[in-house]
Amino acid sequence: MACAFGTEACKQYYTVKYVRLRDLLLDLQSAGAYGNFVNVLKKYTNPVLLIIDEWLLLKLTESEARALYEFIHKRRKRSSIIFCSQYRESEWYQQIYRGESTLADAIMDRISNDSYKIDIESADPSKDISMREVYGLEPAQVK
């Protein structure tokens, strides 16, 4: 669904960037180490729409949470972010530096205000099938 929004935004001549959260954090971390944090930050703050996949799949360290705060703060009220996550929004707080920091409060505050949420839920989880099953692939065939 996020890719469909991104494709439509491109058709409307908006700038769009797609990134996995881990890649974004690694890019910001290495930029901080090499002294070009501001330039790399611009790479992610300039697109009108940013799609972040695998949002909070892994718990953040304090330094990652700090970089993420700066990043989200810079984009706030200027442009849009689509967060693609396997966790519910109510579980995000615990994924941000174990939920023990005011950083988690600040990040969630900036995300939750002025946002639209699309929760994709299964009507009947017992009838869900994976894409592997749809295409008839055995788990051993998928690499």
Side-chain angles (χ1 to χ4, degrees):
M1 184 178 285
C3 288
F5 281 123
T7 300
E8 187 58 30
C10 286
K11 289 178 183 177
Q12 300 296 322
Y13 301 101
Y14 291 105
T15 54
V16 178
K17 184 164 187 68
Y18 169 92
V19 66
R20 291 174 51 244
L21 179 61
R22 188 60 38 201
D23 294 335
L24 168 68
L25 292 172
L26 288 172
D27 206 5
L28 292 175
Q29 182 182 22
S30 66
Y34 292 107
N36 61 344
F37 185 80
V38 173
N39 292 333
V40 172
L41 194 59
K42 284 180 186 176
K43 179 169 88 171
Y44 295 105
T45 56
N46 285 342
V48 173
L49 175 61
L50 181 68
I51 301 170
I52 303 178
D53 200 2
E54 298 177 2
W55 174 252
L56 300 175
L57 187 62
L58 303 171
K59 292 182 188 263
L60 301 180
T61 63
E62 183 178 3
S63 63
E64 290 171 335
R66 286 182 190 283
L68 192 60
Y69 168 77
E70 289 300 325
F71 159 74
I72 289 176
H73 183 73
K74 293 281 186 200
R75 285 192 63 91
R76 186 173 187 212
K77 300 200 184 254
R78 292 186 47 237
S79 49
S80 298
I81 304 174
I82 296 177
F83 299 98
C84 303
S85 180
Q86 295 175 350
Y87 292 102
R88 296 177 188 274
E89 184 186 4
S90 60
E91 298 169 327
W92 292 1
Y93 188 83
Q94 285 301 318
Q95 294 294 102
I96 303 171
Y97 191 52
R98 299 183 302 274
E100 299 172 2
S101 172
T102 54
L103 276 173
D105 288 329
I107 291 169
M108 288 305 298
D109 179 60
R110 281 156 179 76
I111 292 172
S112 295
N113 293 332
D114 303 323
S115 67
Y116 297 95
K117 297 164 189 75
I118 301 173
D119 292 324
I120 301 173
E121 300 275 335
S122 174
D124 186 359
S126 67
K127 293 183 180 176
D128 284 350
I129 58 173
S130 73
M131 292 307 290
R132 289 182 200 92
E133 291 174 292
V134 169
Y135 291 107
L137 298 174
E138 296 294 323
Q141 291 176 305
V142 181
K143 294 181 181 182

